[in-house]
Amino acid sequence: MQKVDHIGIAVKSIEESISYYIDTLGLKLLAIEEVESQKVRVAFVDAGNIKLELLEPIGADGPIATFLEKRGEGVHHIAFGVENIRTRMTELKEKGVQLLQDEPKPGAGGAEVAFLHPKSSYGVLYELCGKGSKGE
Ligand code: ZN
């Protein structure tokens, strides 16, 4: 597996939580965008060797809305950067890892993403994050 690309953190409100990351921790905001396929608004924060991905739900029925309802705010997933996401998904499936989807979905920053089932990953939700043609 290549390096960790980012850590996804579920928040109720980016507007409310962002000043903690920028003003209190002194990190830099990189971008804010909406990812319709995941029903989230996403803020990327530069934490030096890694990015933090703040995830705010849009609407009440997306995966982040459900997560917040069940578990509250906090770490949601860890994302590995991968070169060829489809190849990597096939390899993992062959090794018995359960994936949450068969095809990569469009993620933030033009990336293609797929999630590994926490049951296959000792309780951690891992994301595979393949860089798409749109770049960062
Ligand atoms: Zn992510």
Side-chain angles (χ1 to χ4, degrees):
M1 203 62 80
Q2 285 90 346
K3 63 171 188 156
V4 172
D5 181 80
H6 64 265
I7 296 173
I9 298 168
V11 297
K12 289 180 194 152
S13 161
I14 285 174
E15 198 185 344
E16 237 175 66
S17 56
I18 196 70
S19 82
Y20 172 73
Y21 289 93
I22 307 308
D23 303 326
T24 308
L25 298 183
L27 303 176
K28 204 174 125 220
L29 176 64
L30 295 171
I32 295 184
E33 68 173 288
E34 292 192 1
V35 182
E36 278 179 41
S37 71
Q38 304 285 330
K39 297 193 175 176
V40 284
R41 183 173 297 113
V42 176
F44 278 109
V45 174
D46 184 359
N49 62 333
I50 203 170
K51 284 174 285 183
L52 305 178
E53 181 188 50
L54 306 181
L55 301 152
E56 173 194 312
I58 300 169
D61 60 342
I64 296 300
T66 308
F67 179 88
L68 285 171
E69 205 168 289
K70 280 194 198 154
R71 312 261 296 262
E73 294 181 302
V75 173
H76 177 259
H77 66 267
I78 295 175
F80 288 112
V82 295
E83 292 276 305
N84 187 327
I85 191 166
R86 283 184 170 78
T87 307
R88 190 56 77 138
M89 287 170 76
T90 306
E91 285 171 5
L92 288 169
K93 269 188 234 169
E94 281 167 7
K95 290 178 181 173
V97 177
Q98 199 184 330
L99 278 80
L100 292 186
Q101 56 269 126
D102 291 325
E103 285 291 313
K105 288 187 186 178
E112 289 189 305
V113 304
F115 289 91
L116 313 187
H117 200 296
K119 278 182 189 160
S120 293
S121 306
Y122 297 89
V124 181
L125 178 61
Y126 284 113
E127 173 188 311
L128 303 179
C129 180
K131 293 302 171 195
S133 52
K134 282 187 266 172
E136 280 291 275

